Amino acid sequence: MEDMIKLGQNRSFSPKQLVQMEHDILFTLEWDVLPSTTIEFVHHMICMLPSDVPNSTKYVIQELSKYMSELAICVYKFIGFKASVKALAIVSVAIDSLDANSFISTDAQCSFSLRIFDTFEIWAHDDEVIAMLKEELNHLICHNTNLSEFVKLILSSHKEEEVIASGSPKSTTMNVSTSS
């Protein structure tokens, strides 16, 4: 880019004009530069969970969501939907799949839904596409996974990782920044 700017200075192009020309070319070619993936949206959405949701619960949601994202890649019905819409369906199914030990309060779920709407302008509770994707995900999970056993496996592997990392059990931490 620096070389292009130097060349442009000799021809009276400003750096801003050069960037705009690059944008115009990419737009004309309909070339998406590093489009966001479903799993990236999943990560951002999990970061939007309220701070009162325990990190161990966020970890379970994260792992369930990663698993469902991988399943969804293999399903033709999921092609053609925005990554953000697929991600919300996936995170919603993960939250709905939590057991009594990892339950998220109604207030936390409402706060989360509002944050998602404010950021992505997607409302999971009214959207027919998300409802259809959630139904398809639930169908996939039922045929491929014993969900309660999978959640137990996730929690036990997370606890083992903590013991290995620290030498002794400690409070659950996760590489997810949270917003209040």
Side-chain angles (χ1 to χ4, degrees):
M1 180 64 98
E2 287 179 31
D3 291 336
M4 293 297 290
I5 291 171
K6 286 178 188 174
L7 286 172
Q9 289 172 345
N10 294 338
R11 294 189 173 88
S12 69
F13 294 111
S14 71
K16 186 176 180 179
Q17 288 173 318
L18 186 64
V19 170
Q20 183 60 47
M21 282 187 263
E22 182 181 49
H23 176 268
D24 292 345
I25 291 168
L26 292 174
F27 183 78
T28 301
L29 294 174
E30 296 180 14
W31 193 350
D32 287 330
V33 179
L34 298 174
S36 297
T37 63
T38 301
I39 199 67
E40 288 171 331
F41 278 105
V42 163
H43 176 75
H44 290 301
M45 289 178 182
I46 292 171
C47 290
M48 296 174 134
L49 286 165
S51 59
D52 62 337
V53 175
N55 284 335
S56 59
T57 299
K58 290 177 185 175
Y59 182 78
V60 170
I61 294 168
Q62 172 184 289
E63 294 303 307
L64 285 171
S65 296
K66 283 189 338 191
Y67 174 70
M68 286 186 274
S69 295
E70 291 170 5
L71 281 177
I73 289 171
C74 303
V75 178
Y76 182 75
K77 287 183 181 179
F78 284 81
I79 295 174
F81 294 103
K82 291 180 177 181
S84 57
V85 171
K86 290 187 280 190
L88 183 54
I90 287 167
V91 172
S92 296
V93 170
I95 290 171
D96 293 345
S97 302
L98 295 173
D99 61 12
N101 297 328
S102 302
F103 180 74
I104 297 178
S105 72
T106 304
D107 288 344
Q109 287 187 31
C110 288
S111 175
F112 174 68
S113 293
L114 288 172
R115 289 175 182 175
I116 295 296
F117 182 77
D118 288 343
T119 305
F120 300 105
E121 296 182 352
I122 307 171
W123 194 252
H125 305 292
D126 295 336
D127 194 297
E128 291 176 16
V129 172
I130 291 177
M132 184 276 297
L133 292 173
K134 285 175 66 173
E135 184 178 321
E136 188 64 31
L137 284 164
N138 280 316
H139 179 73
L140 279 171
I141 291 170
C142 288
H143 292 313
N144 292 302
T145 309
N146 178 333
L147 204 51
S148 61
E149 291 298 317
F150 189 53
V151 170
K152 287 178 189 173
L153 179 64
I154 290 169
L155 286 170
S156 67
S157 70
H158 184 57
K159 288 176 184 170
E160 288 172 14
E161 288 174 12
E162 288 179 333
V163 171
I164 291 169
S166 68
S168 64
K170 63 177 183 177
S171 65
T172 307
T173 57
M174 175 175 159
N175 252 349
V176 174
S177 62
T178 57
S179 359
S180 301

